[in-house]
Amino acid sequence: MTLRNAVQKFKIIYYFDVVSPYACCSFFVLKRYMSHWNLDLVLKPVFLGGIMKLAENQPPAMHPLRAAYLEKDYLRNKQYFNLPEMCDEIPNNLFSAVARKSLQVQRFLCYAFDKIDNEGDDDPRKNAIQNKLALLQSFFEGVHCDKEGRLQNENQVLIDDAWIMKKAER
């Protein structure tokens, strides 16, 4: 192995939608190991609902067998990847109200990431990825980790313009 290979960064283009519990798990794992794995991480927001529609697929919660599996798999992934920050339950409205607002959140993230990329800085790539990760973490936490932010006794996340702006300020 040459020295060049030893320090070579591995580029990962990470496509995600904050509505996906699997994207949330993978985000926290990538963030945890980013420096250990010497990653060059490129973040790409996508609209999962649009992908599913074009693929003529249904979200897991819309299919009874997959919905039952999703609940168990969510907890299994939370435990396996040691993600105590994630809630013990998927929000009841994740595949309805939250999914409908996902496009707005993803559009906001595209705009914010573009703005972060175009800000001047001494080391723009390093600071840009850190700023993007912090912003993205705020949104993932808002959907999948913030127990106090859920509507009381309903296990639901309310996403509106004020919620988006609050997450963006963090």
Side-chain angles (χ1 to χ4, degrees), residues 71 87 89-98 143 146-159:
E71 287 286 337
C87 291
E89 296 178 286
I90 294 173
N92 293 335
N93 64 339
L94 184 68
F95 293 101
S96 56
V98 175
V143 174
D146 185 9
K147 295 175 187 118
E148 288 77 36
R150 295 189 179 181
L151 298 176
Q152 292 182 355
N153 302 322
E154 297 180 33
N155 188 31
Q156 294 185 351
V157 176
L158 175 63
I159 296 179

Side-chain angles (χ1 to χ4, degrees), residues 25-37:
C25 287
S26 63
F27 169 77
F28 283 110
V29 171
L30 280 173
K31 191 168 182 261
R32 180 187 306 155
Y33 294 111
M34 198 169 136
S35 62
H36 300 293
W37 293 339

Side-chain angles (χ1 to χ4, degrees), residues 68-128:
Y69 177 80
L70 179 64
E71 287 286 337
K72 292 175 187 170
D73 198 41
Y74 176 83
L75 289 173
R76 185 174 25 250
N77 278 292
K78 178 184 176 205
Q79 181 180 7
Y80 180 79
F81 291 111
N82 190 25
L83 300 169
E85 60 272 11
M86 292 181 67
C87 291
D88 291 332
E89 296 178 286
I90 294 173
N92 293 335
N93 64 339
L94 184 68
F95 293 101
S96 56
V98 175
R100 282 192 293 276
K101 287 294 192 173
S102 172
L103 180 59
Q104 186 178 356
V105 172
Q106 297 302 99
R107 284 179 175 162
F108 175 82
L109 288 170
C110 285
Y111 166 79
F113 287 179
D114 186 55
K115 187 173 179 181
I116 290 169
D117 284 338
N118 292 318
E119 289 178 350
D121 207 314
D122 294 338
D123 188 1
R125 180 68 188 136
K126 182 177 181 186
N127 290 329

Side-chain angles (χ1 to χ4, degrees), residues 1-10 37-38:
M1 179 189 298
T2 67
L3 181 59
R4 177 170 154 55
N5 290 339
V7 295
Q8 181 179 0
K9 283 192 171 258
F10 294 97
W37 293 339
N38 199 23

Side-chain angles (χ1 to χ4, degrees), residues 27 31 34 41 43 113 128-138:
F27 169 77
K31 191 168 182 261
M34 198 169 136
L41 191 58
L43 303 172
F113 287 179
I129 193 63
Q130 295 306 320
N131 290 339
K132 289 178 185 180
L133 288 170
L135 180 61
L136 183 52
Q137 181 170 337
S138 177

